[in-house]
C-alpha cells in the first residue's frame, strides 16, 4: 500500500506540493526521493517570533495557510 500511495502522490504536479522523484524498496526498506525545498518550516518561524517577542504578521500567516490549502485542494 505504501508504494501504491507514493506512486499516486508522485503524479501530483502543483507548485504547493513537493515533487516526488522516485519510489521503491531497497533491502526490505521502502523509500521515496523528494524534491529538496530550501527554507524554514512553520515551527521555526513560530519559535523565532516567540523568541523575538513578536508575532508572525497576519499577511504572512494567511499566505502560508492559503498555499497549504491550495496544495491540499489540488
Amino acid at each position: 500500500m505504501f508504494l501504491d500511495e507514493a506512486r499516486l502522490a508522485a503524479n501530483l504536479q502543483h507548485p504547493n506540493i513537493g515533487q516526488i522523484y522516485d519510489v521503491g524498496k531497497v533491502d526490505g526498506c521502502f523509500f521515496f526521493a523528494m524534491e529538496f525545498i530550501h527554507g524554514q518550516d512553520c515551527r521555526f518561524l513560530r519559535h523565532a517570533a516567540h523568541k523575538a517577542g513578536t508575532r508572525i504578521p497576519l499577511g504572512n500567516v494567511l499566505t502560508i495557510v492559503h498555499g497549504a490549502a491550495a496544495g491540499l485542494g489540488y
Side-chain angles (χ1 to χ4, degrees), residues 12-63:
L12 298 175
Q13 300 287 323
H14 190 273
N16 298 88
I17 299 175
Q19 184 66 44
I20 297 175
Y21 295 121
D22 194 14
V23 176
K25 185 176 180 182
V26 175
D27 297 330
C29 295
F30 295 105
F31 74 90
F32 56 96
M34 295 182 68
E35 168 186 17
F36 174 76
I37 301 172
H38 180 74
Q40 304 299 332
D41 61 20
C42 291
R43 181 185 299 159
F44 175 86
L45 297 175
R46 186 172 54 91
H47 287 301
H50 179 74
K51 187 175 179 181
T54 186
R55 293 181 173 208
I56 302 171
L58 180 60
N60 294 56
V61 172
L62 293 175
T63 298

